[in-house]
Amino acid sequence: MSTLTREGRAAGESRAQPRSGDRLSDQHDQQPPDEGATPPGGRPDDAALEEMGNPHHGRAVKDAAARVVMWGAFGAVIVPLVWILYTVVSHGVNLLLSSTWWTNNQRNINSGDTGGGARHAIEGTLMMAGVTAVIAVPIGILTAVYLVEYGRGPLARAISFTVDILSGIPSIVAALFVYAVWVTTFGIERSGFAAALSLVLLMIPVIVRSTEAMLLLVPNELREAAYALGVPKWVTVVKVVLRTAFSGIVTGVLLGLARIMGETAPLLILAPYTKNFQRDLLHGNFPTLPMMINQDRGDIGFATAAERMWGAALTLILLVLLLNVIGRVIARAGSAKT
Amino acid sequence: MAKRIDVTDLNVYYGAFKAVEGVTMTIEPRSVTAFIGPSGCGKSTFLRTLNRMHEVIAGGRVEGKVMLDDQDLYAPRMDPVAVRRTVGMVFQRPNPFPTMSIYDNVAAGLRLNGVKNKKTLDGIVESSLQGANLWAEVKDRLNKPGAGLSGGQQQRLCIARAIAVQPQVLLMDEPCSALDPISTLAIEDLVGELKNEFTIVIVTHNMQQAARVSDRTAFFNLRATGEPGRLVEIADTTKIFNNPSEQATEDYISGRFG
């Protein structure tokens, strides 16, 4: 076998060392690919060398074209983003610096008045997001665990299909569904909690899909390593699989939160706005930042209302940003170490 | 601390596909048994039936009997989790848990099964790392991540993790195929030491390795792709390599095919 290889080499190139010939004689099982016989691409050496010294064929043009397209796409995404941020910050930042913004509500403040704050809406949005997350996160993560670790056959396929449908539901439809069940059928009043229920419907599919993707990224070898140590499957799922996917799951939860915190349609239908503090999720109107924006947008003819609208919008962006930062810190603390 | 394995007429299936057919063999305690054979001949599949890891894969099932001393591993009431505590396994690619430190990796098998006593754990972690010839290299950085070690160290970490749960048998599925020669040598030396305590079964693609480390060698082969793999012969390693009974074994050993 080795003589054959050497002959093949000798004809082609003189630089080839006979190193692999020696190895072959004591390793039957691993035959390295015979690099020397045919140059990569099947071209003779001269052609490859010539191209190396002279790269200005079609490829440089394609490279430039791809560059232009890529930067163009980047710009198309970044320009609107910066524009929005600039508009919101420039219009809203003054109010956020005022002393009462973070402490007061809007009680007895009419559209044309200045003063007051957004504390009621900030609290309301955080409470509602918190309640939504407390319900949606366990359901979403457990569903994903079922789909990835346990689910086989028709039931798993049906659940997966349902999640797909759920993720396509417009938020106003989710709100109407909750209205039909909560208010029309059971006769319970509209409230912050009812709105949170419709947000749960919107958040679950986001969490299921992102968690699913993260669990699929956990190498099977880790599961096998745990099984081989005599660890039961459920302990493996909790302590190894979920633990390894932790940071990704946190990111998914944050994406879900960001999605629902800005939702307005369910609030319009299920949780009418109030300018007062309201810490009771189960009864009465409920203040939230999207609804505050909506309220002041209705009176945008007043400069004061317009400014409040921008202020509330900036506050909402900052809240989502803050949650993101907190989530990143949590995710980093719990992620895989190398 | 070591048990004999008796396999009788074992067929292994993936769904409807029969991967391994009619294997009968005895694996002696306190010795190293090597499985050799071409790719796809079912040696890894068969190895995984010895601690019921085979059935982790969807559709995996067996027919036949595997006895560990006097216990039937496939008896209806036998718990696969209990089997895997008795028969440990080391895999082809080192697979330490990425979220855990070196210490936690070794302690994982015990911790995940409820052992909490710090002193017990400390003792077992040290003795297991010493057993895996890794203690001297890592004793000052037990709290560093296991994934930060070199490939060879990671594999020895995985061996330490496997022996920490004090199994009777240790299965090794091509444990050196992802390692360089120096690390391979370290693992081979380790196998030689571990056989004083455990029954060791090692799958390898490297025939020199089988010749170096094993007491007995089993040669697996398959007639053609799509056919189930079979055990061609099992005998003392010196006999397999010097004077095999079967022509197919001799052809494979001497490099005439495969």
Side-chain angles (χ1 to χ4, degrees), chain A residues 29 221 224-225 227-228 230 337, chain B residues 48 84-85 93 95 98 205:
Chain A
D29 48 343
E221 285 116 49
E224 296 207 325
Y227 296 151
K337 305 164 186 82
Chain B
R48 290 167 65 96
R84 292 176 203 140
R85 277 176 208 166
R93 285 228 317 253
N95 54 358
H205 262 123

Side-chain angles (χ1 to χ4, degrees), chain A residues 269-283:
Chain A
I269 291 177
L270 291 164
Y273 179 64
T274 168
K275 291 179 169 182
N276 299 324
F277 284 120
Q278 164 65 291
R279 280 150 196 157
D280 185 354
L281 271 162
L282 289 170
H283 304 94

Side-chain angles (χ1 to χ4, degrees), chain B residues 183-204:
Chain B
S183 307
T184 300
L185 186 66
I187 304 273
E188 286 179 5
D189 288 346
L190 178 57
V191 168
E193 291 167 28
L194 290 173
K195 76 171 177 180
N196 297 322
E197 272 187 83
F198 304 97
T199 305
I200 292 181
V201 186
I202 182 169
V203 168
T204 176

Side-chain angles (χ1 to χ4, degrees), chain A residues 169-208:
Chain A
I169 286 186
S171 58
I172 196 155
V173 176
L176 286 174
F177 168 72
V178 172
Y179 189 91
V181 175
W182 191 255
V183 182
T184 312
T185 307
F186 290 114
I188 311 170
E189 65 179 304
R190 297 193 288 173
S191 65
F193 186 72
L197 283 182
S198 66
L199 296 180
V200 165
L201 292 178
L202 301 172
M203 191 172 182
I204 283 176
V206 179
I207 297 197
V208 173

Side-chain angles (χ1 to χ4, degrees), chain A residues 191-244:
Chain A
S191 65
F193 186 72
L197 283 182
S198 66
L199 296 180
V200 165
L201 292 178
L202 301 172
M203 191 172 182
I204 283 176
V206 179
I207 297 197
V208 173
R209 284 294 169 238
S210 63
T211 306
E212 212 182 355
M214 290 304 136
L215 294 182
L216 286 170
L217 282 181
V218 176
N220 229 354
E221 285 116 49
L222 295 185
R223 295 183 182 86
E224 296 207 325
Y227 296 151
L229 292 171
V231 178
K233 180 162 185 172
W234 72 272
V235 180
T236 304
V237 168
V238 175
K239 295 280 180 71
V240 176
V241 179
L242 286 177
R243 184 71 191 72
T244 307

